[in-house]
Amino acid sequence: MEVPVGLPSRKDSSALGAAAALPSESQPTPAKPVQVTVLEAQNLKSIKSDASVTLVRVEYNGAVLGDSCQTQVLPDGTANYNFTTSFECSPSGPNSLDSIVQNLVLLTVIEVHKEKKQKEKTVPLGQAVVDLLPLLQGQCSFKVLAPLYAVPASPLESVQLEAKGGLEVTVCTEEPLLSATQLSEGNLLSVTLEAAYSVPEAFAAAGPLQNFMACLQVPAAGEKEFPLLFMNGILKPAGEKEPLPRPKKWPLANIMAPGALSIPNSFIVGGPYEDEDGELNKREDMEFRIQAESTKRVVWDVERRCYLDPAAVVILQKRIAECRYWPVEVCRVSVGSPSKGKTSKADKGDEDKQISFHGVAYVNMVPLLCPGVKQIRGAFRVFAYHSSEVFEKTKSQHSVFRDLRKLSLSKEGLWTPGIGSPLSSAVHSKIQKEDKITKDTTRRMSNLLKIPLPDAIAETENVTSLSLDGQQYIEAETFLVMEIKLDKALVPKRSREELTSRVSQMIPPRPPLPARTEGAKKAVEYYHNHVTSIAVAILSEYHELFGKQLPDWGAIDPQTLQEQKRQLNLELNRSGKYFAFKEQLKYAVVKIVREKYLKTTAFETQEQLQAFLSELYVYLVDQMHVALNQLLFEEAAPPAPPPRVTEDQLWLFAREAEVNKDYKLAALYHQQRVAQDQCNIQYRLDYGIFCLLLEERMKAQECFREALSLDPHHVQSLLLCGIVAVMLQHCEEAEIFFEDACCLEPSNVVAWTLSGLFYELQDNNIQAEMAFREAKKLLQAQLAEERSIPEAVEGEGGEKPISAADVKSPSPSPEERSPEGVPNGSADKLPETAEHAQDCTAPKEEATAPEAAPKAEEPPAEQVHPRFQSSTSQDGQPAAPSPGSGLSQPPCTIFMKTVEFLMKVNAVQFVHRALAHELLNLQGGPSCAYYLTLAQTYLLKEDFSKCEECLCEAININYLNPNVWAQKGHLCYQKGNFHEAKECYERAIGFVEDAADMHFIYLHLGSIYLEEKEYGQAKQTYLLACKNSASCLTWLGVGIACYRLEEMVEAEDALSEANALNNTNAEVWGYLALICLQGGREREAEQCYKYSVKLGLRNDALLREIRAAQQRLGFGDPAL
């Protein structure tokens, strides 16, 4: 591979070779030999029919490894070489691991002509390349049939890009080149530069030779960077578009067979503009993109690769988090025709004019930090290169091209144009001299890269012409199309197991519903019930008039019985009860006439009416006797069926009702939990916590005290009673509760911290200080005990290797940080929380997010009580999701542990006071958990702007925390920005570790998918929610998605399960009505519609859809 002068060779560079840190130089690694064996050539006759004697030359990294013996070509076109050569791979040598990635083994088949009394004449016949990448994928040996491409005999000969033959090659090593750690945690970066479109008009095909170049600097270990250089872009005139798909090309300059430049099985396939990650991907940009791709352009289609060892992966991830934009420099270099003799002074004066049209494109690399994302591809606008602007956006201090311009590379003949054209033998012979040039220029380049930033900025005064040329990129609206790809995602994505396609298989088995009577049978049963109730009422009237007749009194004589009957009739008529009983029975008789006899119209004749009345009378008397016999010989009632929902499901339903701000329904669910088990302390605490959310403090106090009455030694109940007492300003009671909690559980950090906050409210600084000191002592002991266990395990198993997942964004200084969305000058403001903490005298004060404070590590999440996650905040997520992402275990503070507890119990007033202490006590600055909690409090008050600022700070500290992305999704969802909410939710569920409120993430994301008519995605999302925590709303979402996908059977199964969990949801009945309408089930459709209306269906769109279907089908509505 040709190495341009001015850029360090991979063989001799000590500056940039170390910068790449590929591999790490901390421990020297012995060299490992790589053996290359060329077995035979095939189909040589297809390249040249009269080829007789050939040999094969093996080259690697610009050095000739050796030539095989001259071999006779057999009649079938094969030549058996069996030639073996090797080179050594070592981190400190010329052939490092990065060299294995970038360089190819070049095989040249050379024809040997032997003539009498003359020197042997050699002519290149064909070339093939072998990619050594499998050696970095864990393989120790591999065998390939490398395509053999013909070398044109002269530049005038037409270029043949298809392979004519092949070389059978084996490559092997004695041991793997990568260790297990390097293989699992290393990565491979590939950058493909496709083309520059809409280039300036000054790019003319005529005139002096021109070399179009681009360079992307890849961050490496330390503060250094490694450049990936793209040379020899081909300027193409306006005309047809570039074909798709088209092959990618190797970045080689010493290839004589143009066909060998194409990378096998690697193509540029393009795609819709809307799916790209860069700029110019909106609908309004489509017309411009289509026109630009047919105009004058510069084409590279080259892919360059770089190996990243585990340490370099960590640095790469940190750099992307620090600077979201990476600069891609472009320029044009005028290449003068080579001439003999010395360079004149005039030529030396023109050296600075060799580089022109210096521009830069800014590539947003942040998508690579999304879980599971391995590549970005898109169009990126090109701007004029200004050092100050580049440094401001990318923190890049050096321009590779300006360093090259200082070296006057054009004078050394290294700008080699026309990579797509065959190279002459002179170019081929120049490779032999490459090592000498490279060593010299490497030394000079390493010194040049040490230019400090002020010098680099000052140099812009000398390159005004470059800026003016670069301005033409903006006027022409030039853009680069490129792709950046990783072998493995920087942030791993969770692997979801496949969900079953049949919804019915996910529904848990349930006992059959009790049989219900319908139609005529139900009408008769209704009549029996009324007869029974009237008979009981008449019997009670009889007992009031004549008293109860005991069995041992004997039978009543008929005359007395007749007299009692007459008096009873008289009393019933006099009191009006007889008329009331008759009216009560009338509706039951009407139902029997309609349901049993199906009589709904008037009779035609009087005789028909009399006959029907006679028949009806006989039937009613018979059924009356049946009802009276059942009353006199009543059987024991069957036991009540067990409840169809558990207490945990009721708790989940209550949370969902809180999310939807249906607090009346949520209160009902909490009351049902308490009624089902009145001795359960946690149910009463959950109800009280819900009352705190509604600021119903008296009711919350009642719940907490009832829980305390069940167990006077329950610490959480004591703490909650104390918190409510403080809110109600019952300070003496609060002190008793907090003291009892600390005495009952002296090791409870939260109890001591709450006691300290309470004493601080009372201006009892001595007691407060003592309580805080005790809490800190307990926490330090707990953390020391927790650390002792993993340290012991680590001591046995060895040191854990560095992982990219263990890295967070570093803590920039206040001068460096200016996050998006934060107004300028905010760094000069004092954090309001600290000001409040200085003179906090009441629990109503609030802590405000510091807008430019340095960052610190976040504390790990800890549950005070396993069931204290039952409360949610008004925005729809649990009131206290676990702040830590679980990716690391940073130090914890007593105040953040207390904040976690307080958020779970909706004690927001105490939260602000604890956060104020957290801010004052942190030496490194607020943590991610601090900003996340503060954002939740702002979201409770619907202060969206401050909430967004806090979340931006939290993301800057730890972009791998799924809880932060979930919280941002809730914010966008509540603001109505569903597109951004969907992106945040998708990122949150993409992490390997779950966020604290996955249930509501699934619910919100599923509703967004339904709104955007992505029904397949909605179905899968709701099924995930059903699998984790099924509820009426999750199955309703599955049912709606299946209905829209016209999967009627699965839709009915899902809606039936939703109805079994909650038969009072009007929307479930509405969709069941639609399914029955589509299935032609008239009676069920009408019944479901009646229930949906009766339960108050508020979805106007669904109601219109039902009525339209009823009008179209002609049934389903009783009014039709």
Side-chain angles (χ1 to χ4, degrees):
M1 173 179 173
E2 182 176 0
V3 181
V5 175
L7 287 181
S9 167
R10 302 300 260 178
K11 296 188 289 184
D12 301 312
S13 173
S14 59
L16 286 183
L22 308 171
S24 175
E25 298 179 0
S26 58
Q27 295 182 355
T29 304
K32 300 177 182 179
V34 178
Q35 183 174 293
V36 181
T37 301
V38 184
L39 299 177
E40 66 175 11
Q42 300 177 2
N43 297 328
L44 290 180
K45 296 289 186 180
S46 62
I47 299 178
K48 189 175 182 182
S49 59
D50 58 349
S52 59
V53 179
T54 61
L55 60 85
V56 63
R57 175 171 296 166
V58 182
E59 302 175 55
Y60 179 74
N61 199 10
V64 177
L65 300 182
D67 292 351
S68 71
C69 298
Q70 298 180 8
T71 304
Q72 190 74 27
V73 179
L74 301 178
D76 59 356
T78 62
N80 297 318
Y81 299 113
N82 291 323
F83 172 65
T84 300
T85 184
S86 64
F87 64 89
E88 290 188 345
C89 174
S90 64
S92 57
N95 300 322
S96 63
L97 293 177
D98 193 45
S99 173
I100 298 292
V101 174
Q102 296 206 50
N103 297 325
L104 306 172
V105 175
L106 179 61
L107 307 172
T108 306
V109 177
I110 300 175
E111 184 182 13
V112 181
H113 295 278
K114 295 182 179 181
E115 299 181 4
K116 295 180 180 181
K117 299 181 182 180
Q118 290 186 5
K119 190 177 179 180
E120 290 183 352
K121 182 180 180 182
T122 59
V123 177
L125 192 63
Q127 282 188 321
V129 294
V130 176
D131 188 6
L132 300 179
L133 185 60
L135 296 180
L136 298 185
Q137 295 174 337
Q139 299 185 31
C140 291
S141 63
F142 63 93
K143 183 177 182 180
V144 295
L145 180 63
L148 187 63
Y149 299 89
V151 174
S154 67
L156 301 178
E157 183 178 338
S158 61
V159 177
Q160 298 179 357
L161 298 180
E162 63 274 5
K164 295 296 184 179
L167 286 175
E168 190 173 334
V169 184
T170 61
V171 180
C172 63
T173 59
E174 295 180 357
E175 56 181 315
L177 296 183
L178 298 182
S179 65
T181 300
Q182 289 176 316
L183 187 61
S184 61
E185 300 184 10
N187 214 327
L188 180 69
L189 176 67
S190 303
V191 180
T192 302
L193 182 60
E194 299 180 16
Y197 294 99
S198 187
V199 296
E201 290 296 329
F203 283 15
L209 294 177
Q210 299 168 349
N211 192 342
F212 299 96
M213 304 177 63
C215 185
L216 170 68
Q217 300 191 71
V218 179
E223 298 296 327
K224 303 173 183 178
E225 294 180 333
F226 176 75
L228 294 179
L229 185 64
F230 297 86
M231 300 174 58
N232 304 317
I234 301 174
L235 180 64
K236 294 188 176 181
E240 297 182 357
K241 291 184 176 182
E242 295 296 313
L244 289 174
R246 61 184 185 272
K248 297 180 181 179
K249 298 176 182 178
W250 298 112
L252 303 178
N254 55 341
I255 293 288
M256 294 180 289
L261 285 172
S262 299
I263 303 177
N265 302 320
S266 184
F267 299 92
I268 298 172
V269 296
Y273 301 135
E274 296 84 356
D275 296 340
E276 293 180 351
D277 301 295
E279 308 164 27
L280 300 172
N281 54 1
K282 305 294 188 299
R283 288 187 176 180
E284 54 268 22
D285 302 320
M286 188 177 301
E287 184 178 354
F288 168 70
R289 289 281 299 271
I290 294 174
Q291 293 178 355
E293 290 175 0
S294 302
T295 58
K296 185 164 54 177
R297 57 201 177 274
V298 177
V299 180
W300 285 274
D301 290 345
V302 173
E303 178 183 274
R304 290 190 66 108
R305 303 182 305 202
C306 181
Y307 169 71
L308 305 173
D309 71 355
V313 171
V314 171
I315 299 299
L316 174 68
Q317 190 171 345
K318 290 177 63 177
R319 288 294 305 275
I320 296 177
E322 289 175 343
C323 308
R324 65 170 56 212
Y325 294 105
W326 280 13
V328 179
E329 297 182 50
V330 293
C331 73
R332 188 187 73 176
V333 179
S334 298
V335 183
S337 58
S339 59
K340 297 181 181 180
K342 297 182 179 180
T343 305
S344 64
K345 294 182 180 180
D347 294 335
K348 291 182 179 180
D350 292 338
E351 286 180 359
D352 290 346
K353 299 180 182 179
Q354 296 297 318
I355 294 180
S356 59
F357 293 96
H358 192 186
V360 61
Y362 300 103
V363 180
N364 186 2
M365 303 288 286
V366 171
L368 291 179
L369 296 182
C370 296
V373 175
K374 294 191 290 186
Q375 71 173 21
I376 55 176
R377 180 187 180 274
F380 303 92
R381 296 181 184 274
V382 180
F383 302 90
Y385 188 97
H386 298 286
S387 298
S388 57
E389 294 180 5
V390 174
F391 178 75
E392 181 181 357
K393 281 194 172 185
T394 68
K395 302 297 186 291
S396 177
Q397 303 181 7
H398 303 286
S399 167
V400 175
F401 291 144
R402 290 185 181 173
D403 292 338
L404 296 181
R405 184 177 57 82
K406 281 190 171 186
L407 293 176
S408 305
L409 298 181
S410 59
K411 297 301 178 181
E412 302 193 28
L414 261 195
W415 304 110
T416 54
I419 194 169
S421 60
L423 299 179
S424 63
S425 58
V427 176
H428 179 61
S429 62
K430 184 194 65 179
I431 301 173
Q432 308 291 336
K433 306 175 184 178
E434 181 181 312
D435 293 343
K436 294 181 180 179
I437 300 174
T438 303
K439 290 180 180 179
D440 182 55
T441 55
T442 297
R443 176 178 51 80
R444 287 182 289 173
M445 184 64 180
S446 62
N447 293 329
L448 281 172
L449 289 180
K450 298 177 183 177
I451 297 175
L453 177 61
D455 295 341
I457 297 177
E459 188 187 352
T460 57
E461 300 176 0
N462 302 324
V463 290
T464 306
S465 60
L466 296 183
S467 300
L468 294 177
D469 290 341
Q471 191 68 24
Q472 297 188 35
Y473 287 124
I474 302 176
E475 298 171 358
E477 298 184 90
T478 305
F479 61 92
L480 292 177
V481 177
M482 62 186 304
E483 176 189 74
I484 299 176
K485 184 177 181 180
L486 291 163
D487 186 54
K488 291 177 286 190
L490 292 178
V491 181
K493 186 175 183 179
R494 68 174 66 239
S495 56
R496 292 286 185 185
E497 57 182 315
E498 290 296 327
L499 293 172
T500 175
S501 58
R502 289 287 298 171
V503 174
S504 58
Q505 297 176 6
M506 294 189 62
I507 299 176
R510 295 184 177 277
L513 292 172
R516 295 187 177 183
T517 56
E518 296 182 0
K521 188 176 180 180
K522 187 174 181 179
V524 173
E525 186 178 297
Y526 187 76
Y527 173 73
H528 287 174
N529 294 335
H530 279 74
V531 169
T532 301
S533 63
I534 293 172
V536 171
I538 293 175
L539 185 60
S540 64
E541 289 290 331
Y542 176 83
H543 290 160
E544 289 182 6
L545 290 174
F546 309 108
K548 290 187 177 182
Q549 185 72 22
L550 298 178
D552 56 352
W553 288 7
I556 304 176
D557 61 280
Q559 185 176 358
T560 303
L561 191 61
Q562 190 67 26
E563 179 62 22
Q564 291 178 351
K565 180 180 178 181
R566 186 185 65 79
Q567 292 181 18
L568 179 61
N569 285 332
L570 180 62
E571 179 63 25
L572 291 176
N573 281 284
R574 186 184 62 79
S575 63
K577 292 181 179 180
Y578 180 84
F579 178 78
F581 292 151
K582 186 176 67 173
E583 289 296 320
Q584 183 179 350
L585 200 60
K586 182 186 296 184
Y587 182 68
V589 174
V590 171
K591 289 191 69 174
I592 287 180
V593 172
R594 290 179 176 176
E595 300 290 342
K596 173 70 177 177
Y597 292 95
L598 304 177
K599 296 293 184 180
T600 56
T601 58
F603 293 93
E604 296 180 358
T605 63
Q606 191 68 19
E607 291 77 8
Q608 291 179 352
L609 174 60
Q610 291 300 325
F612 173 72
L613 290 177
S614 300
E615 182 183 357
L616 177 62
Y617 177 78
V618 173
Y619 179 78
L620 292 176
V621 171
D622 291 341
Q623 294 301 319
M624 180 187 67
H625 292 156
V626 172
L628 293 176
N629 289 332
Q630 290 177 352
L631 176 63
L632 296 176
F633 305 99
E634 183 176 4
E635 298 179 358
R644 300 188 61 81
V645 292
T646 64
E647 289 81 0
D648 290 337
Q649 287 177 317
L650 287 174
W651 171 70
L652 178 61
F653 300 164
R655 292 183 61 194
E656 291 178 336
E658 293 172 23
V659 171
N660 297 327
K661 299 188 178 181
D662 190 348
Y663 300 126
K664 184 177 180 181
L665 181 61
L668 178 62
Y669 284 130
H670 281 296
Q671 292 165 3
Q672 288 181 10
R673 294 183 74 208
V674 174
Q676 288 186 11
D677 188 357
Q678 297 189 4
C679 296
N680 192 300
I681 296 176
Q682 191 60 46
Y683 297 169
R684 296 184 182 274
L685 293 182
D686 290 341
Y687 188 23
I689 292 170
F690 166 72
C691 295
L692 281 183
L693 177 65
L694 304 183
E695 297 185 354
E696 297 178 358
R697 296 168 182 169
M698 294 300 297
K699 189 178 291 187
Q701 183 187 46
E702 181 182 353
C703 295
F704 297 149
R705 293 198 174 188
E706 287 178 353
L708 193 60
S709 66
L710 296 175
D711 183 4
H713 303 293
H714 194 256
V715 175
Q716 277 74 33
S717 300
L718 287 169
L719 293 177
L720 289 173
C721 287
I723 290 172
V724 175
V726 172
M727 293 179 178
L728 296 175
Q729 299 183 358
H730 299 166
C731 298
E732 294 182 0
E733 295 180 2
E735 184 175 4
I736 294 173
F737 288 130
F738 289 134
E739 285 184 358
D740 285 352
C742 293
C743 292
L744 287 172
E745 194 173 336
S747 62
N748 193 313
V749 176
V750 174
W752 283 106
T753 308
L754 286 175
S755 297
L757 293 175
F758 166 73
Y759 286 126
E760 190 180 58
L761 278 174
Q762 303 303 309
D763 293 330
N764 190 343
N765 296 327
I766 297 177
Q767 288 284 86
E769 184 179 352
M770 184 199 71
F772 290 148
R773 189 186 311 116
E774 182 67 20
K776 292 177 181 178
K777 182 176 68 174
L778 292 171
L779 181 61
Q780 290 175 359
Q782 292 177 8
L783 293 177
E785 183 179 358
E786 292 174 1
R787 283 194 297 266
S788 63
I789 299 176
E791 285 176 358
V793 175
E794 186 176 330
E796 297 174 1
E799 185 178 357
K800 181 182 177 182
I802 299 176
S803 171
D806 297 330
V807 179
K808 295 188 181 72
S809 176
S811 302
S813 63
E815 295 81 3
E816 294 175 343
R817 283 181 48 254
S818 180
E820 295 182 10
V822 180
N824 292 332
S826 62
D828 300 328
K829 299 179 182 178
L830 179 67
E832 298 178 19
T833 313
E835 296 174 1
H836 283 258
Q838 298 291 343
D839 55 342
C840 47
T841 57
K844 293 184 179 180
E845 64 193 33
E846 300 176 358
T848 306
E851 300 181 18
K855 310 294 186 300
E857 299 293 343
E858 63 194 91
E862 177 183 334
Q863 278 194 332
V864 179
H865 192 279
R867 297 298 302 280
F868 262 57
Q869 295 184 0
S870 59
S871 173
T872 61
S873 59
Q874 292 179 351
D875 61 302
Q877 72 278 8
S882 174
S885 67
L887 299 174
S888 60
Q889 294 294 331
C892 180
T893 66
I894 61 172
F895 299 108
M896 289 310 299
K897 288 177 68 69
T898 306
V899 162
E900 182 183 354
F901 170 81
L902 293 172
M903 288 299 294
K904 290 176 182 176
V905 299
N906 293 329
V908 180
Q909 293 181 350
F910 270 92
V911 169
H912 293 300
R913 180 170 295 277
L915 287 178
H917 276 280
E918 173 73 9
L919 186 60
L920 290 176
N921 284 273
L922 283 177
Q923 298 182 2
S927 63
C928 179
Y930 171 88
Y931 284 113
L932 183 58
T933 305
L934 202 55
Q936 292 171 359
T937 62
Y938 285 134
L939 197 57
L940 282 171
K941 298 184 298 183
E942 297 187 356
D943 192 342
F944 297 146
S945 60
K946 289 186 177 180
C947 178
E948 187 170 4
E949 290 179 13
C950 293
L951 290 176
C952 288
E953 296 288 348
I955 290 174
N956 288 339
I957 297 175
N958 187 359
Y959 50 86
L960 297 180
N961 191 332
N963 292 311
V964 178
W965 292 106
Q967 188 74 16
K968 188 173 182 181
H970 296 322
L971 170 65
C972 298
Y973 189 88
Q974 194 165 336
K975 290 169 61 178
N977 186 355
F978 297 125
H979 178 72
E980 188 173 353
K982 181 176 75 169
E983 293 180 351
C984 294
Y985 286 143
E986 288 175 341
R987 176 176 285 206
I989 66 177
F991 287 102
V992 174
E993 182 178 343
D994 282 337
D997 52 352
M998 293 300 295
H999 183 79
F1000 297 103
I1001 294 176
Y1002 288 138
L1003 284 181
H1004 290 171
L1005 183 58
S1007 66
I1008 294 174
Y1009 283 141
L1010 288 179
E1011 187 70 23
E1012 296 182 355
K1013 298 182 179 181
E1014 299 180 26
Y1015 301 123
Q1017 291 281 3
K1019 177 182 175 182
Q1020 294 300 316
T1021 303
Y1022 278 119
L1023 282 175
L1024 287 172
C1026 292
K1027 185 175 182 180
N1028 292 342
S1029 50
S1031 68
C1032 174
L1033 296 183
T1034 60
W1035 283 114
L1036 172 61
V1038 175
I1040 296 174
C1042 292
Y1043 175 77
R1044 299 303 179 191
L1045 293 171
E1046 298 183 357
E1047 300 171 357
M1048 296 302 174
V1049 176
E1050 293 189 353
E1052 186 171 2
D1053 289 341
L1055 292 171
S1056 298
E1057 179 66 12
N1059 188 265
L1061 294 173
N1062 180 11
N1063 61 359
T1064 61
N1065 189 299
E1067 199 164 343
V1068 174
W1069 287 110
Y1071 278 100
L1072 284 172
L1074 280 176
I1075 291 175
C1076 295
L1077 285 168
Q1078 298 292 342
R1081 293 141 62 182
E1082 300 184 16
R1083 191 169 185 176
E1084 293 173 83
E1086 181 176 337
Q1087 185 182 31
C1088 293
Y1089 173 70
K1090 287 180 180 178
Y1091 276 119
S1092 65
V1093 175
K1094 181 179 180 181
L1095 293 170
L1097 180 60
R1098 294 191 293 268
N1099 190 333
D1100 295 334
L1102 176 59
L1103 201 56
R1104 289 193 299 270
E1105 186 177 0
I1106 295 174
R1107 288 172 177 168
Q1110 290 170 345
Q1111 293 289 340
R1112 185 175 68 255
L1113 299 173
F1115 64 88
D1117 186 356
L1120 293 176

